[in-house]
């Protein structure tokens, strides 16, 4: 094997954490009394990827993408910024599972994204550019310091391509937000967003209940039970005083 | 330096559906069989138990059970004049990885192709004349007939415990089934699954429009089932986390739930996981395979000698290994010579999203299985007269919505802003009363001279091997077909009482970022002439007779159905030919 190939391989193996040990299977079904790949639960605590300035901007952004209303909290309370913070710190942020080898050439829309930037780099550069833009056009205020209408106006102009950033694709950043923020609102709370399953309660999604045999034939009747997360459900524990 | 392992009778490359079927059949015939699988061993209790299998972010969005593009990918371009670029993140299709292959995370939509699909060129030419087909269309007959495959379809359905309603038993049309299907020797092993509300309404509306709707044939169990190998499956719970996910409930037919428990107990079977075959080795004559070379995840290189080689990886990887091993002549679209890479196809999918009055309709979209709902087959294959329409091919269509997973399935009416208060309100209002059938129009894609696979001149995988280059675009025939089918499909939702019906036609150019299905077909096709096919009608290589190549790579063109039933039937058909004929007299089964 060529040295270069070996080094590429070695890097790939180190970057992969589970289920990668080659085994010979003979006369038995491989089995261990534990899951091979249990879920990783996001823990509360300080920001892991965002700086404090970035986090302020992100909490403002997620609350405009999904604003609060009288019945359902917005993206900020739902933990969408925390979700994105943890995602960017992990394999998603570093593009770990994607094909990252060059050359990086710009192609047609049908050929898909070709950027050499990782998701983490995209957010880092775009958030810096966003605050720089706001400060230079909004009397020295950062994005988080603007009122909601002004924030919406900035976001709309990024979406339409009217506002461009120097060092990074502003529209590409907005596309990432439109994917990542709803993912935080609707994914299982173990990932850091959808706190108290607010996204699921809003639409009536029961989470991971996994068995609807008693309801499949009950046509046009709203499913009555509250949602359940991979981490269970607090009010399943009887709280009798 | 590769370490050489002791010789085996058979080496199988890839332990998905076809590899498992072939391994079982050949081990059952007494041969010493080893299967080499690129990805990890996977099993229900340890890899996707119900406690965390239903994680939409992890499995649907981040694709955990699939191949990572960091392991390997493909390059793509629409036209031969363009420079292909790598697929950096999956879009139009999702290559599987690991033991069980796509069988772990498929929907389990278990179809048979139409009798006319197998003799497509002959059938269309006889009915419409040769001039009716586009000049650059390269459809062919398969070299095998529906009647020959019928017993093998039957075996697979009974292995899987397929739930469904027969439409044609030995020529007798059965009420409530698909009247267009080829004759089957007996009923499905299990009755159809229960139908949720919206799916039932679709069936009723289709019937009132004069169609003959029938339940989607499903590898999700409608009741407990023990298959002929003694493996037991449990009833499906309609959890709504089927396709893209492993089933935590032993309710979806997969190699893990139907065949591997029996296969692994055979003392003459061995599997090696996390080991990627890099080459099929051939002797000096180029006419005989001597085994395979592979690399495990420790980076160690191995050589596995064997008398018989079975290539049963995913479509494109079958083609890649043939090209990298120099087996068969590579296809050259300009000269129209060679066979490996030829007649590559995908599918022509579109959808219709309908919005109903939230005050009157509660669909509970999260109550579903991976293969559920009501379908019609009036517009599939050549079930209707194409003469007035100016295209060939077709597809089944149905309300087969498989989930209400909220990241993926929160449709909003066209014109709704994509964020902000209006978006949030529309999501909330429509979640329970919208229908998004998934692969609603499941159209065929026929083959063309300029749609093919070869090796990319620039981009490499982590072993420094060239990536496969996909050159693919939609042709007018498929675009016309899709327009016609999508319009017919939308009429049914209008008849159901939708207040708004949004048609999402499939349009050219082919877009590698937009998911259709993972039904890539062709590239190493079966046929009757070595000049236009890589394999004979038993899936045996014309060039290297001790090599059989299984999977949808053998399809000369793709039909308007999900392929797995046909892929598996062909695997049983090839296994039968090996057991009945090849082993007695190893060599070319067909004299071309």
């Amino acid at each position: 094997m060529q040295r270069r190939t070996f080094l590429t391989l070695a890097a790939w193996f180190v970057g992969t954490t589970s289920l990668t040990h080659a085994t010979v299977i003979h006369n038995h079904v491989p089995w261990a009394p534990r899951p091979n790949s249990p879920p990783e639960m996001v823990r509360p605590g300080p920001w892991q990827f965002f700086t404090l300035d970035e986090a302020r901007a992100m909490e403002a952004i997620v609350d405009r993408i999904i604003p609060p209303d009288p019945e359902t909290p917005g993206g900020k309370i739902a933990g969408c910024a925390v979700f994105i913070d943890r995602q960017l710190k992990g394999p998603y942020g570093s593009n770990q599972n994607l094909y990252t080898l060059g050359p990086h050439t710009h192609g047609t829309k049908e050929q898909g994204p070709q950027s050499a930037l990782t998701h983490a780099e995209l957010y880092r550069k775009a958030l810096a550019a966003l605050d720089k833009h706001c400060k230079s056009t909004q009397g020295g205020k950062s994005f988080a310091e603007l009122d909601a209408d002004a924030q919406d106006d900035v976001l709309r102009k990024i979406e339409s391509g009217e506002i461009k950033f120097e060092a990074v694709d502003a529209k590409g950043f907005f596309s990432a937000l439109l994917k990542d923020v709803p993912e935080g609102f609707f994914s299982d709370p173990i990932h850091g967003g959808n706190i108290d399953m607010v996204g699921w309660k809003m639409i009536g999604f029961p989470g991971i209940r996994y068995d609807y045999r008693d309801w499949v034939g009950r046509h046009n009747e709203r499913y009555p039970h509250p949602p359940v997360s991979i981490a269970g459900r607090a009010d399943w524990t009887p709280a009798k005083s | 330096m590769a370490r050489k392992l002791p010789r085996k009778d058979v080496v199988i490359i890839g332990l998905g559906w076809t590899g498992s079927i072939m391994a079982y059949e050949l081990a059952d015939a007494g041969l010493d069989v080893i299967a080499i699988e690129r990805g990890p061993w996977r099993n229900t209790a340890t890899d996707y138990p119900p406690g965390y299998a239903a994680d939409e972010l992890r499995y649907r969005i981040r694709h955990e059970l699939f191949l990572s593009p960091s392991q390997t990918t493909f390059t793509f371009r629409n036209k031969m004049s363009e420079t292909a670029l790598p697929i950096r993140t999956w879009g139009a299709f999702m290559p599987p990885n690991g033991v069980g292959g796509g069988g772990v995370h498929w929907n389990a939509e278990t179809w048979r192709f139409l009798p006319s699909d197998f003799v497509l060129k002959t059938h269309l030419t006889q009915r419409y004349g040769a001039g009716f087909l586009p000049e650059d269309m390269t459809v062919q007959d398969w070299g095998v007939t529906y009647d020959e495959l019928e017993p093998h379809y039957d075996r697979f359905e009974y292995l899987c415990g397929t739930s469904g309603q027969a439409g044609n038993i030995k020529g007798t049309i059965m009420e409530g089934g698909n009247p267009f299907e080829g004759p089957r020797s007996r009923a499905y092993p299990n009755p159809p699954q229960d139908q949720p509300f919206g799916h039932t309404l679709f069936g009723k509306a289709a019937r009132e429009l004069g169609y003959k709707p029938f339940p989607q044939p499903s590898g999700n169990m409608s009741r407990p089932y023990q298959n002929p190998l003694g493996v037991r499956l449990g009833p499906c719970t309609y959890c709504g986390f089927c396709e893209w996910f492993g089933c935590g409930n032993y309710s979806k037919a997969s190699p893990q739930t139907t065949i591997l428990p029996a296969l692994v107990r055979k003392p003459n079977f061995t599997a090696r996981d996390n080991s990627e075959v890099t080459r099929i080795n051939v002797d000096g004559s180029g006419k005989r395979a001597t085994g395979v070379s592979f690399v495990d995840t420790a980076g160690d290189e191995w050589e596995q000698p064997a008398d018989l080689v079975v290539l049963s990886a995913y479509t494109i990887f079958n083609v890649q290994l043939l090209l990298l091993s120099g087996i068969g002549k590579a296809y050259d679209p300009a000269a129209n010579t060679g066979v490996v890479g030829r007649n590559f196809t995908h599918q022509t999918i579109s959808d219709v999203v309908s919005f109903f009055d939230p005050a009157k309709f509660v669909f509970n979209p999260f109550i579903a299985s991976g293969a559920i709902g009501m379908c019609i087959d009036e517009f599939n294959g050549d079930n209707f007269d194409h003469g007035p329409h100016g295209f060939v091919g077709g597809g089944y269509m149905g309300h087969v919505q498989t989930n209400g997973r909220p990241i993926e399935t929160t449709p909003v009416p066209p014109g709704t802003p994509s964020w902000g208060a209006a978006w949030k309100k529309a999501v909330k209002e429509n979640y329970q009363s919208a229908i998004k059938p998934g692969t609603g129009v499941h159209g065929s894609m026929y083959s063309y001279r300029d749609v093919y696979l070869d090796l990319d001149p620039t981009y490499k995988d982590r072993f420094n091997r060239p990536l496969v280059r996909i050159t693919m675009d939609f042709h007018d025939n498929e675009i016309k077909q899709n327009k016609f089918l999508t319009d017919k499909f939308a009429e049914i939702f209008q008849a159901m009482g939708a207040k708004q019906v949004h048609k999402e036609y499939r349009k050219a150019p082919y877009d590698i970022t937009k998911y259709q299905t993972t039904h890539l077909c062709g590239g190493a096709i079966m046929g009757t002439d070595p000049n236009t096919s890589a394999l004979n009608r038993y899936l045996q290589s014309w060039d290297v007779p001790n090599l059989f190549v299984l999977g949808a790579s053998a399809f000369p063109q793709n039909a308007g159905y999900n392929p797995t039933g046909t892929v598996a039937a062909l695997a049983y058909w090839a296994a039968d030919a090996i057991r009945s004929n090849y082993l007695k007299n190893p060599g070319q089964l067909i004299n071309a």
Side-chain angles (χ1 to χ4, degrees):
Chain A
M1 189 182 293
Q2 290 175 350
R3 181 176 157 76
R4 193 177 136 196
T5 308
F6 174 78
L7 289 176
T8 311
L9 269 179
W12 183 77
F13 296 132
V14 168
T16 321
T17 52
S18 65
L19 299 171
T20 54
H21 183 64
T23 51
V24 178
I25 296 140
H26 186 68
N27 271 334
H28 72 286
V29 177
W31 182 82
R34 69 189 78 85
N36 269 332
S37 50
E40 287 170 29
M41 314 263 180
V42 158
R43 295 185 183 284
W47 300 102
Q48 293 183 0
F49 174 78
F50 293 130
T51 64
L52 282 179
D53 282 345
E54 289 169 344
R56 268 192 284 274
M58 278 305 299
E59 294 214 297
I61 289 170
V62 300
D63 235 21
R64 298 323 304 154
I65 303 282
I66 305 181
D69 64 51
E71 284 147 14
T72 308
K76 179 177 171 178
I77 297 289
C80 293
V82 176
F83 166 83
I84 294 173
D85 178 72
R86 301 313 199 251
Q87 289 292 312
L88 293 177
K89 185 71 183 172
Y92 174 72
S94 62
N95 290 14
Q96 183 181 289
N97 295 323
L98 306 188
Y99 185 79
T100 53
L101 303 180
H104 289 86
T105 310
H106 190 67
T108 64
K109 179 173 73 66
E110 289 75 22
Q111 289 180 305
Q114 296 294 327
S115 170
L117 276 191
T118 65
H119 293 115
E121 290 164 343
L122 173 68
Y123 272 83
R124 182 125 288 153
K125 284 173 189 259
L127 288 170
L130 175 68
D131 268 354
K132 189 175 162 202
H133 170 86
C134 290
K135 282 177 182 168
S136 68
T137 58
Q138 311 269 350
K141 287 184 180 170
S142 70
F143 182 83
E145 288 164 342
L146 303 177
D147 65 34
D149 286 345
Q151 288 175 339
D152 281 351
D153 187 56
V154 170
L155 292 177
R156 266 194 294 270
K157 283 176 178 160
I158 293 175
E159 184 182 29
S160 70
E162 197 180 327
I163 294 177
K164 292 186 169 58
F165 297 150
E166 273 172 29
V168 65
D169 174 13
K171 250 180 133 168
F173 171 59
F174 199 76
S175 301
L177 288 174
L178 287 189
K179 200 170 76 55
D180 294 339
V181 178
E183 282 174 15
F185 198 68
F186 286 130
S187 58
D188 196 284
I190 64 168
H191 299 293
N194 192 15
I195 284 171
D196 199 28
M197 298 178 261
V198 292
W200 293 354
K201 287 174 186 167
M202 178 180 95
I203 56 175
F205 177 65
I208 80 148
R209 283 184 170 272
Y210 220 70
D211 189 351
Y212 301 112
R213 279 173 295 178
D214 60 343
W215 214 266
V216 62
R218 295 182 69 159
H219 290 173
N220 216 11
E221 284 184 69
R222 196 171 294 275
Y223 186 77
H225 302 299
V228 179
S229 154
I230 288 169
R233 180 174 175 79
D235 51 10
W236 271 5
T237 308
K240 210 175 167 196
S241 59
Chain B
M1 185 68 192
R3 276 180 275 179
K4 200 164 182 169
L5 293 161
R7 190 197 65 81
K8 296 276 187 183
D9 294 328
V10 184
V11 62
I12 290 180
I13 305 164
L15 193 56
W17 267 128
T18 59
S20 302
I21 287 169
M22 185 60 87
Y24 187 89
E25 290 301 304
L26 298 185
D28 195 55
L31 300 178
D32 199 8
V33 177
I34 185 164
I36 299 174
E37 165 56 45
R38 175 181 58 200
W41 183 269
R42 286 202 174 101
N43 225 333
T44 306
T46 47
D47 289 284
Y48 32 84
Y52 64 79
D55 189 338
E56 186 182 14
L57 181 79
R58 182 177 181 186
Y59 296 107
R60 171 64 181 89
I61 305 297
R62 301 283 184 253
H63 310 152
E64 183 162 314
L65 292 174
F66 294 83
L67 182 73
S68 297
S70 61
Q71 285 174 270
T72 191
T73 187
F74 319 104
T75 65
F76 166 75
R77 59 181 180 174
N78 285 126
K79 307 274 182 219
M80 289 168 65
S81 57
E82 295 173 353
T83 302
L85 296 179
I87 302 169
R88 298 189 178 276
T89 184
W90 300 131
F93 53 85
M94 298 292 311
N97 192 43
V99 170
V104 169
H105 42 64
W106 69 319
N107 293 69
E109 293 165 315
T110 313
W111 294 88
R112 300 178 175 199
F113 286 6
L114 295 167
S116 58
D117 285 331
F118 295 99
V119 288
L120 189 69
K121 181 73 181 284
T122 302
H123 175 89
L124 292 176
T125 308
Q126 281 175 356
R127 183 164 178 185
Y128 302 107
F132 195 71
L133 301 180
E135 203 179 331
D136 55 349
M137 184 183 274
T138 54
V139 294
Q140 294 180 193
D141 293 356
W142 293 51
V144 66
T145 66
Y146 173 83
D147 289 342
E148 286 172 318
L149 281 185
E150 200 287 331
H152 306 288
Y153 274 123
D154 180 80
R155 276 194 80 182
F156 184 61
E157 288 159 1
Y158 274 73
L159 178 85
C160 290
T162 309
S163 308
Q165 169 62 52
N168 179 343
I169 298 182
K170 296 180 182 165
T172 304
I173 301 300
M174 311 296 291
E175 184 62 28
N178 177 8
F180 296 97
E181 70 177 3
R184 54 178 67 242
S185 49
R186 52 179 171 166
Y188 285 102
N190 284 312
Q193 288 202 282
D194 292 339
Q195 298 288 346
F197 179 42
H199 308 67
T200 307
L201 285 185
F202 179 88
K204 186 166 168 283
R207 205 170 296 114
E208 283 164 8
L209 288 172
Y211 300 125
K212 298 253 188 307
F214 56 93
Q216 161 87 249
S218 173
N220 307 125
M221 297 306 101
S222 56
R223 60 183 181 189
Y225 180 69
Q226 178 167 318
N227 77 12
L229 303 184
V231 185
R232 294 180 64 84
L233 294 95
C236 170
T237 60
Y238 307 93
C239 78
F241 288 85
C242 192
E243 81 284 13
W244 309 82
F245 300 81
C247 177
N249 211 46
Y250 300 87
S251 303
K252 174 166 71 174
S254 66
Q256 277 80 353
T257 54
T258 62
I259 194 164
L260 292 172
L263 173 61
V264 169
R265 282 171 178 79
K266 288 190 176 293
N268 50 336
F269 173 74
T270 305
R272 279 177 176 265
D273 70 352
N274 288 309
S275 297
E276 179 164 357
V277 172
T278 51
R279 196 169 56 250
I280 299 166
N281 301 312
V282 288
D283 70 6
S285 74
K287 298 284 176 201
R288 182 176 169 75
T290 58
V292 303
S293 295
F294 66 96
V295 183
D296 68 20
T297 42
D300 291 331
E301 294 182 276
W302 305 81
E303 189 186 332
Q304 176 62 66
D307 290 343
L308 178 61
V309 177
V310 175
L311 176 52
S312 52
Y314 180 57
T315 304
I316 306 190
F317 298 119
N318 280 351
V319 175
Q320 185 179 32
L321 267 179
L322 292 175
L323 290 170
L324 291 173
S325 308
I327 296 173
K329 192 173 175 199
Y331 175 58
D332 176 348
N336 202 14
T337 57
V339 291
V340 181
R342 188 173 185 275
N343 280 34
F344 180 62
T345 52
H346 190 182
Q347 202 92 63
T348 313
I349 298 292
S350 65
D351 209 355
V352 167
V353 184
S354 311
F355 299 90
F356 292 74
D357 182 351
K360 294 185 190 155
F361 295 87
V362 176
F363 292 128
N364 292 323
F366 43 83
I367 302 179
S369 74
I372 199 162
M374 297 296 285
C375 306
I376 64 166
D377 217 20
E378 271 78 359
F379 302 108
N380 208 338
D382 201 33
N383 293 344
F384 61 107
D385 182 7
H386 288 74
H389 303 302
F391 67 84
V392 290
Y396 79 88
M397 54 181 76
H399 175 15
V400 293
Q401 183 166 346
T402 61
N403 75 91
R405 299 185 298 262
I407 299 172
E408 180 179 4
T409 308
T410 35
V412 291
T416 305
S418 48
W419 56 282
W423 171 81
K424 189 182 181 193
K425 183 165 173 277
V427 165
K428 182 180 176 178
E429 275 179 6
N430 290 288
Y431 177 73
Q432 280 282 16
S433 55
I435 291 180
K436 188 169 181 273
T439 51
V441 170
H442 199 279
S444 57
M445 183 194 261
Y446 288 167
S447 43
Y448 295 90
R449 184 165 166 178
D450 63 353
V451 177
Y452 67 102
L453 301 173
D454 64 355
L455 294 175
D456 192 90
T458 307
Y459 291 94
K460 303 278 196 285
D461 71 6
R462 66 190 203 283
F463 298 112
N464 215 28
R465 301 180 306 173
L467 300 183
V468 168
R469 175 169 66 180
I470 298 169
T471 304
M472 172 173 277
D473 206 351
F474 282 116
H475 284 240
D476 287 347
N477 180 74
E478 274 61 34
I479 296 303
K480 278 188 206 164
Q481 175 219 102
N482 183 261
K483 170 84 170 55
F484 179 75
L485 266 64
T486 307
D487 288 342
K488 293 286 182 196
F489 190 43
E491 286 170 12
I492 304 175
F493 291 98
Q494 260 137 11
M496 287 166 71
K499 62 183 170 117
Q500 196 176 357
V501 171
H502 177 59
K503 300 179 208 178
E504 297 176 347
Y505 296 112
R506 184 62 50 178
K507 291 182 178 150
Y510 180 96
D511 187 334
I512 204 68
T513 69
K514 295 213 171 104
Y515 186 73
Q516 289 210 96
T517 68
T518 296
H519 311 156
L520 298 182
C521 302
I525 68 173
M526 62 194 296
T528 54
D529 178 354
N531 292 308
T532 54
S533 59
L535 314 175
N536 68 23
R537 75 193 214 101
Y538 299 111
L539 306 184
Q540 181 182 33
S541 164
W542 288 114
D543 301 277
V544 177
N546 66 333
L547 170 67
F548 288 73
V549 185
L550 310 181
S553 50
F555 293 8
Q557 56 276 332
N558 198 6
Y561 298 103
N562 308 66
T564 302
T566 302
V567 163
L570 285 172
Y572 274 120
W573 159 255
D576 192 47
I578 294 172
R579 288 182 74 159
S580 311
N581 299 320
Y582 178 86
L583 292 178
K584 288 176 197 149
N585 186 14
Q588 186 55 250
L589 291 168
I590 302 280
N591 292 316

